[in-house]
Amino acid sequence: MSEKMKLILSDTNLNIKPQNDTTFIDLSSLKITNCVGCFGCWTKTPGKCVIRDDAVKVYPLIAKSDRVMYISRTKYGGYDTVMKTMLERAIPIQKAFIRLVNGETHHVQRDVLPKSATIIAYGEISDEEKEIFKDLILRNAYNMNFTDYNIIFTSEEMLEETVRGEVLKWEK
Amino acid sequence: MGKVMILNGSPRAPKSNSKIYSDIFRKYCKLDTEYFNISKTNHIELCKKIGEFSDVLVVFPLYADSLPVTLLNFLKNLELNPPEKKPVISLLVNCGFIEYQQNDIAVKMMEQFCKKNEYKMGSVLKIGSGEAILTTFFNVLVKMKIRRLAYSVANKKYKTFTLTMPLSKRSFIKASTKYWDNYGKNNGVTHEEMDTMNIES
């Protein structure tokens, strides 16, 4: 694995200027179709998605990052479409094979750095939806190799300011 | 007499395990059933039809710990195009892990959808080891459980059911490795090739 990096994946364009070791990706500007569940990335071309769109540029960066920030609108207590589509397309960084993590069965990771995650969920989110989202990120932590994570709920109006504040914390 | 609409929310709907689960449900349900794949292009057509049914059974796999995008996008469209008469929504959700509880987030998200849009939630069947169970002799357990699910929907005695392979986790991991090795073998790919650490290289 080459040098570590920091990655910000956002479902919307934001006016932020992260430092050089941080890559910002506005997923809404990319062409990413949904996973078709073919298992090709596990059983035909292991580690590579058979759909050759912009997602194939993103999931290697997820694997290489030791800090990630995922910024997403939520829907029914989960990620909304743009972020969820990318996360589903990131399964080539896992293997088909199963292992035990904290006593639960999960997929084995390929060359994926353990990572510290900041998840910024925005929009109008009810208390019930917040609880579901927290449970979801706990599950993601097992499946996406998070060593630790922080969830921040914010409004659409406060999003840019919230992200700037979190990026500043990374830079300290 | 009610009528059940079965919606397959798997991205690989025609070739999916969700299709097989749906077929088993249709076999055992004493009500009339109609089956539909959710595709990218038929959301409006399905939204128009949904009001004709007393019950809907949504059958889908767990994707990245929650609802697959195929289903999520349909639900968002259904929210914008609601039927006048709302059916009861039941679920059959499966994940590849042995713990059927890993489906809980997806079920809670569906409950949120129902709550927001004033649909009544019906029965739920959560299946663990759902990728491989149909290819083992445990598929008899699948049939028994789906039969009970179908009975509960047809008789409006809505309940939550669960199912997984009755194996220890260690045995499950061994069995799943064999399952995936065979899957690769059918594509001419070895265990070692599938086990690569490389990503896009």
Side-chain angles (χ1 to χ4, degrees):
Chain A
M1 168 100 23
S2 52
E3 77 284 6
K4 293 174 182 177
M5 56 171 285
K6 297 172 189 164
L7 177 66
I8 302 174
L9 291 185
S10 174
D11 68 357
T12 184
N13 194 20
L14 296 170
N15 184 22
I16 54 164
K17 290 180 181 66
Q19 285 184 335
N20 288 341
D21 63 342
T22 303
T23 303
F24 174 85
I25 298 177
D26 169 16
L27 294 171
S28 68
S29 70
L30 302 183
K31 196 179 170 200
I32 300 176
T33 187
N34 66 300
C35 174
V36 293
C38 68
F39 297 134
C41 61
W42 288 346
T43 66
K44 278 186 186 166
T45 55
K48 286 185 183 180
C49 182
V50 299
I51 306 169
R52 306 309 292 168
D53 62 9
D54 289 337
V56 305
K57 296 176 204 156
V58 180
Y59 60 72
L61 301 181
I62 295 176
K64 279 187 212 167
S65 300
D66 66 337
R67 290 199 95 159
V68 293
M69 187 182 294
Y70 294 162
I71 302 160
S72 177
R73 190 182 289 282
T74 65
K75 196 72 188 170
Y76 314 130
Y79 297 107
D80 205 345
T81 302
V82 175
M83 180 63 68
K84 186 63 183 1
T85 302
M86 182 58 235
L87 295 179
E88 289 184 8
R89 289 290 305 285
I91 66 162
I93 71 173
Q94 300 179 341
K95 303 176 188 180
F97 304 119
I98 303 280
R99 61 176 176 162
L100 280 181
V101 181
N102 297 330
E104 279 184 1
T105 53
H106 294 281
H107 288 288
V108 179
Q109 306 281 320
R110 298 193 197 277
D111 198 1
V112 177
L113 278 181
K115 49 195 95 261
S116 176
T118 301
I119 314 293
I120 301 181
Y122 71 92
E124 286 177 26
I125 313 169
S126 69
D127 288 343
E128 271 181 341
E129 286 171 316
K130 284 179 183 172
E131 290 310 308
I132 297 169
F133 196 76
K134 287 179 196 170
D135 289 346
L136 171 64
I137 303 307
L138 175 64
R139 300 240 64 80
N140 285 172
Y142 293 149
N143 282 318
M144 299 178 183
N145 227 10
F146 298 168
T147 48
D148 60 276
Y149 63 84
N150 180 28
I151 305 169
I152 298 160
F153 295 104
T154 190
S155 63
E156 192 165 2
E157 295 71 32
M158 291 297 293
L159 179 61
E160 217 157 73
E161 196 178 322
T162 307
V163 173
R164 270 198 210 108
E166 290 306 307
V167 170
L168 269 179
K169 283 184 200 167
W170 276 13
E171 291 167 0
K172 277 179 189 165
Chain B
M1 200 73 168
K3 205 162 77 157
V4 187
M5 179 187 217
I6 300 173
L7 291 177
N8 185 344
S10 169
R12 54 175 177 148
K15 295 178 183 172
S16 62
N17 286 334
S18 296
K19 170 79 168 70
I20 301 171
Y21 292 129
S22 301
D23 289 344
I24 299 170
F25 181 91
R26 296 187 79 180
K27 185 178 163 194
Y28 288 122
C29 187
K30 67 176 186 186
L31 300 181
D32 285 343
T33 60
E34 270 188 71
Y35 171 88
F36 301 88
N37 296 326
I38 297 173
S39 73
K40 279 183 182 169
T41 54
N42 69 353
H43 293 181
I44 299 302
E45 179 197 326
L46 296 178
C47 292
K48 281 180 186 163
K49 274 201 101 63
I50 207 166
E52 297 170 17
F53 295 84
S54 60
D55 289 84
V56 171
L57 177 72
V58 187
V59 187
F60 63 97
L62 191 72
Y63 262 51
D65 302 314
S66 60
L67 304 180
V69 167
T70 304
L71 176 57
L72 178 64
N73 286 342
F74 170 70
L75 294 175
K76 285 162 69 176
N77 260 323
L78 184 57
E79 191 163 298
L80 297 174
N81 301 279
E84 265 180 41
K85 200 167 155 254
K86 294 185 175 174
V88 178
I89 296 187
S90 294
L91 309 176
L92 193 169
V93 50
N94 86 88
C95 69
F97 306 115
I98 195 165
E99 301 88 5
Y100 61 78
Q101 295 91 337
Q102 293 205 38
N103 296 307
D104 287 350
I105 307 286
V107 173
K108 284 182 189 172
M109 286 177 71
M110 286 298 301
E111 284 169 352
Q112 278 301 306
F113 167 81
C114 288
K115 192 177 170 186
K116 276 194 168 178
N117 294 282
E118 298 175 332
Y119 290 85
K120 190 183 166 199
M121 273 283 283
S123 291
V124 177
L125 171 55
K126 294 181 270 189
I127 300 179
S129 60
E131 176 57 33
I133 196 168
L134 289 164
T135 64
T136 68
F137 52 80
F138 298 126
N139 69 4
V140 66
L141 302 177
V142 176
K143 287 174 188 162
M144 281 166 62
K145 207 61 93 158
I146 294 180
R147 188 177 196 163
R148 292 180 63 192
L149 173 72
Y151 179 88
S152 76
V153 171
N155 292 284
K156 301 207 171 292
K157 291 180 178 172
Y158 301 111
K159 278 178 78 171
T160 293
F161 304 93
T162 60
L163 174 68
T164 193
M165 283 192 203
L167 293 177
S168 69
K169 294 193 181 184
R170 210 166 282 277
S171 302
F172 172 75
I173 289 171
K174 226 172 158 180
S176 73
T177 301
K178 198 174 165 194
Y179 173 84
W180 287 112
D181 281 348
N182 284 333
Y183 210 115
K185 204 173 164 187
N186 290 335
N187 294 325
V189 176
T190 65
H191 175 92
E192 289 68 31
E193 287 168 327
M194 284 171 61
D195 204 30
T196 179
M197 295 299 278
N198 296 337
I199 296 162
E200 281 293 314
S201 60

